[in-house]
Amino acid sequence: MANEVITCKAAVCWGVGEAMKVEEIQVDPPKEFEVRVKMLFASLCHTDLTFANGFPIPLFPRVLGHEGVGIVESIGEGVMELSKGDMVMPLYVAECGKCENCKSGRTNLCLTYPMTYNGLMLDGTSRMSVKGQNLYHVFSCSTWSEYTVVNANYVVKVDPTMDCAQASFLCCGFSTGFGAAWRDAEVEKGSTVAVLGLGAVGLGAVEGARNQGASKIIGIDKNKMKCEKGKAFGMTDFINTNESGKSIEELVKGLTGGMGVDYFFECSGGPSFVNQALESTKPGKGKAIMIGVANEPIVNINYTSLLFGRTLKGSIFGGLKPRSDFPEFELNELLTHEVSLGEINKALEFVKQPDCVKILIKIGI
């Protein structure tokens, strides 16, 4: 079977605005330095929805999903660190450990194995097809499928004693937020923090700030149901933007003696919030970290806010290097909904509900 094409089921996105269809697809054997993974669980991230909407590049048909956990079914030539039967997480960042970026200690964006947006493997081809058409991948993986092929450099082993359902939540959202506070912002003990958007990414940022010793962690969301979730992960104050006519900047400064916070994490992906994030930080030293993925590639930035010494920084996967510093968490608080692969469109409805944080997609169990 290792050298054969596998026919299996996958959730296929055929175009912008179209419902997902569970189709029979073909998954090729792994080529050199690749592994084929039998997926057990996956989850849904808002970034998948932006891909479904054709951002940053409208590539269809496509198998979505970039969070998940599975078992290595077969390996291609040259794969040294993985074996058949290993439990693994496919990721969208890699770490060669040798390139300029990996050795710098300043970024997690590997130059040898970069993030990919073209929906193809590193050799420019696809390993999936449906009805005679090539299927596009998401980043370096497509987890909403019973089987997927991933370059081994974008795969991390999972401790087999770990709850593999929870492991799928580590592949993007929560880890991204946690890493942004830990690695990218390097939140200092005793500092003040604000987090806009208390989904999985935002809750990760809250937990990361607490872990770093922040003295005040302000959670901001328009959904009042997120207040208790935020407190569970270390939030000290909550702002419900629907309950005030004031701007986010005014509300944050109202909780910080008019000064603003040391660090502001924008996790909602709203382009209009970039300036609010900047202006909610302290002049001279405040840092605004952009984590949320927006559908608009260009935003207007208040130059004066930057001129007064504030820093605006982007963050991919929270600055985490997948092989060097991948954290472990207890993530039971995140799970709110479960679906099977055949119920993928139900998951897209659940994500709109106010109590939704993370949806577990059961695939190979």
Side-chain angles (χ1 to χ4, degrees):
M1 192 174 182
N3 295 317
E4 298 175 357
V5 174
I6 289 178
T7 297
C8 67
K9 292 181 179 180
V12 177
C13 181
W14 287 93
V16 176
E18 295 189 28
M20 299 286 172
K21 292 184 179 179
V22 177
E23 308 268 18
E24 279 200 346
I25 72 165
Q26 285 67 50
V27 181
D28 293 340
K31 293 186 178 181
E32 188 177 24
F33 304 124
E34 296 175 354
V35 295
R36 187 161 58 187
V37 179
K38 175 180 172 61
M39 297 304 302
L40 300 177
F41 297 97
S43 46
L44 189 155
C45 173
H46 280 275
T47 302
D48 293 309
L49 305 183
T50 66
F51 278 107
N53 289 326
F55 182 85
I57 307 171
L59 300 172
F60 303 101
R62 190 169 211 161
V63 176
L64 299 177
H66 63 285
E67 297 182 338
V69 62
I71 302 293
V72 174
E73 176 268 338
S74 56
I75 62 174
E77 291 185 20
V79 176
M80 304 298 292
E81 298 181 3
L82 297 170
S83 302
K84 182 177 178 180
D86 285 343
M87 187 158 71
V88 296
M89 295 185 298
L91 299 174
Y92 56 93
V93 293
E95 180 187 354
C96 74
K98 299 176 182 178
C99 72
E100 176 187 342
N101 276 9
C102 284
K103 292 192 296 185
S104 72
R106 298 171 59 189
T107 177
N108 65 333
L109 297 181
C110 180
L111 298 177
T112 305
Y113 304 106
M115 283 183 64
T116 58
Y117 290 97
N118 63 0
L120 300 171
M121 304 295 284
L122 293 180
D123 65 358
T125 64
S126 173
R127 300 292 173 271
M128 295 177 159
S129 60
V130 60
K131 300 177 180 178
Q133 297 184 60
N134 278 339
L135 278 163
Y136 288 101
H137 300 250
V138 167
F139 295 125
S140 48
C141 57
S142 288
T143 60
W144 295 0
S145 175
E146 291 177 331
Y147 288 86
T148 189
V149 175
V150 190
N151 185 290
N153 292 286
Y154 297 87
V155 173
V156 173
K157 279 187 185 181
V158 177
D159 183 341
T161 64
M162 183 179 182
D163 181 344
C164 59
Q166 286 193 15
S168 68
F169 298 157
L170 293 174
C171 298
C172 183
F174 191 86
S175 298
T176 295
F178 185 93
W182 173 35
R183 286 301 193 199
D184 268 336
E186 297 181 331
V187 168
E188 296 178 336
K189 185 175 182 179
S191 60
T192 54
V193 171
V195 179
L196 175 59
L198 296 178
V201 177
L203 293 174
V206 169
E207 171 74 6
R210 174 171 68 175
N211 191 65
Q212 292 291 103
S215 61
K216 181 180 283 289
I217 305 171
I218 304 168
I220 307 165
D221 205 292
K222 63 182 180 181
N223 179 1
K224 64 181 180 181
M225 297 182 75
K226 297 294 178 70
C227 181
E228 290 306 313
K229 287 289 184 184
K231 288 179 179 178
F233 286 96
M235 182 183 73
T236 60
D237 300 85
F238 181 66
I239 292 174
N240 185 335
T241 54
N242 277 348
E243 294 181 350
S244 174
K246 295 181 179 180
S247 68
I248 291 173
E249 174 193 358
E250 291 175 302
L251 294 168
V252 169
K253 289 184 175 179
L255 290 174
T256 54
M259 296 298 296
V261 290
D262 296 298
Y263 306 93
F264 192 111
F265 296 91
E266 202 296 297
C267 306
S268 72
S272 61
F273 294 132
V274 173
N275 286 313
Q276 286 286 299
L278 264 177
E279 291 161 14
S280 297
T281 65
K282 294 175 180 176
K285 59 175 290 192
K287 290 183 179 180
I289 295 88
M290 302 294 107
I291 311 175
V293 177
N295 285 327
E296 299 177 30
I298 299 173
V299 298
N300 292 317
I301 297 173
N302 187 329
Y303 179 69
T304 303
S305 293
L306 291 175
L307 194 64
F308 274 82
R310 297 177 176 93
T311 299
L312 178 64
K313 189 181 190 311
S315 179
I316 295 291
F317 198 47
L320 295 177
K321 293 183 178 181
R323 298 184 188 277
S324 297
D325 51 22
F326 212 91
E328 293 186 10
F329 308 103
E330 178 59 47
L331 301 177
N332 283 329
E333 286 284 344
L334 295 181
L335 177 61
T336 54
H337 298 80
E338 297 183 9
V339 299
S340 67
L341 182 62
E343 299 172 313
I344 191 65
N345 286 302
K346 187 182 290 186
L348 300 180
E349 293 303 314
F350 283 151
V351 78
K352 300 174 186 177
Q353 296 182 4
D355 64 332
C356 183
V357 179
K358 290 300 290 185
I359 302 169
L360 183 68
I361 304 169
K362 299 178 178 180
I363 299 178
I365 59 168

